[in-house]
Amino acid sequence: MDLGIRGKTALVCAASKGLGFGCAEALAKEGVGLVINARSPEPLEAAAERLRAHGVDVTAVAADVTTEEGRAALLAACPAPDILVNNAGGPPPGLWSDWGREDWLKAVEANMLAPILLATAVLPSMIDKGWGRVVNITSQSVKGPIPQLGLSNGARAGLTGFVAGTARQVARHGVTINNLLPGSHATDRIVALDAALARERNVSVEEATAIRQSSIPAGRYGTIEEFGAACAFLCSTFAGFIVGQNVLLDGGSVNVTL
Ligand code: NAP
């Protein structure tokens, strides 16, 4: 299926590996030119090279998307993208009693303010063009709180509220904003979370992985290819009537009817 976005330009944040890279690669396969970002320059350039193999232009911007300077560098490289995929690292696991003001500010900067401010910067040009797609990578924690990820539960809920209102204000201009909610996917992030679970339960990392996977109805972790394909569809010409939605990709983990 041709998604109808060949020749468009996407800014994909936090994309040197993991879910962000999966989204960038799925868009590259559709012929979308890319500006990708991460903090560490070497893995970022290696990712850019892999993406160029799909025959698209790729610019790599090493920057921290949670800072004003980082976002300014991204916007200087790509002031008017057709597609924005918002992403950043997730907050550390812990207990509600572990976190003070600084921890909360970091979580809110990364998982709420950064995507809101980037979207705010690019929405006017999307509206002028009469076409645009914003996809935020959030988390299943938005639908069902994850006990050890209270920082994620809280900060991402704020972004979700912003999207719910704003998506409905820009939709008439051909611009959609939606959220993709990953459950457990096979990335370095889940390796770190499995290691934390292993420490907490005093079991091996392999046992921790097996415990976590057995709790997923699909019986496995998701792949970045599956995730990227869902992102590319939300960015496609066919997804223009999908507005302000929160799409779970969790193998059935969140046990809800709707
Ligand atoms: P990952 O494999 O660890 O990849 C994270 C990517 O983001 C890397 O490219 C990293 O590169 C970049 N990055 C991190 N912080 C950044 C920053 N401040 N500015 C720019 N780039 C940054 O993580 P992932 O599993 O793909 O997760 C992506 C997001 O989805 C996270 O917010 C995570 O919490 C959320 N999520 C993931 C899962 C899962 O199962 N994987 C489930 C639910 C939610 P540098 O380190 O070089 O910057």
Side-chain angles (χ1 to χ4, degrees):
M1 182 178 181
D2 181 341
L3 297 182
I5 48 179
R6 186 166 299 281
K8 294 202 181 287
T9 299
L11 172 53
V12 186
C13 303
S16 64
K17 61 179 181 174
L19 302 178
F21 181 82
C23 294
E25 186 161 48
L27 291 169
K29 286 179 180 169
E30 290 299 315
V32 174
L34 295 168
V35 175
I36 62 164
N37 148 263
R39 291 164 303 180
S40 317
E42 281 181 22
L44 179 65
E45 191 43 54
E49 206 45 44
R50 282 173 64 193
L51 293 168
R52 287 183 191 113
H54 296 290
V56 293
D57 286 340
V58 183
T59 301
V61 181
D64 184 340
V65 77
T66 68
T67 65
E68 283 288 346
E69 313 80 68
R71 289 189 291 274
L74 279 180
L75 292 167
C78 191
D82 303 298
I83 295 166
L84 168 66
V85 179
N86 272 316
N87 188 27
L95 192 62
W96 58 270
S97 49
D98 295 336
W99 304 310
R101 187 168 188 276
E102 286 308 311
D103 305 297
W104 276 106
L105 286 177
K106 270 189 206 154
V108 167
E109 280 282 1
N111 301 125
M112 179 182 168
L113 287 180
I116 289 176
L117 293 172
L118 276 175
T120 303
V122 302
L123 282 172
S125 63
M126 291 180 175
I127 289 168
D128 284 349
K129 283 186 269 190
W131 198 95
R133 299 284 183 262
V134 178
V135 174
N136 301 303
I137 299 179
T138 66
S139 171
Q140 74 173 58
S141 69
V142 170
K143 284 266 186 191
I146 300 174
Q148 69 276 21
L149 288 177
L151 292 171
S152 173
N153 301 337
R156 298 189 200 274
L159 170 62
T160 306
F162 169 81
V163 168
T166 308
R168 289 165 172 88
Q169 291 165 335
V170 301
R172 68 182 59 253
H173 302 288
V175 178
T176 70
I177 315 177
N178 292 287
N179 302 319
L180 279 178
L181 282 54
S184 297
H185 282 72
T187 69
D188 288 357
R189 164 84 175 159
I190 211 71
V191 172
L193 291 176
D194 284 353
L197 182 65
R199 283 194 298 277
E200 185 190 308
R201 302 261 180 108
N202 201 21
V203 296
S204 69
V205 175
E206 291 71 25
E207 285 169 306
T209 301
I211 292 168
R212 201 192 292 277
Q213 290 189 342
S214 70
S215 72
I216 301 172
R220 64 173 177 87
Y221 290 154
T223 69
I224 64 169
E225 290 78 13
E226 290 169 317
F227 193 87
C231 177
F233 183 75
L234 281 182
C235 296
S236 74
T237 48
F238 303 107
F241 211 52
I242 303 177
V243 171
Q245 296 302 299
N246 290 282
V247 181
L248 262 179
L249 287 94
D250 70 339
S253 290
V254 180
N255 195 27
V256 291
T257 303
L258 290 175

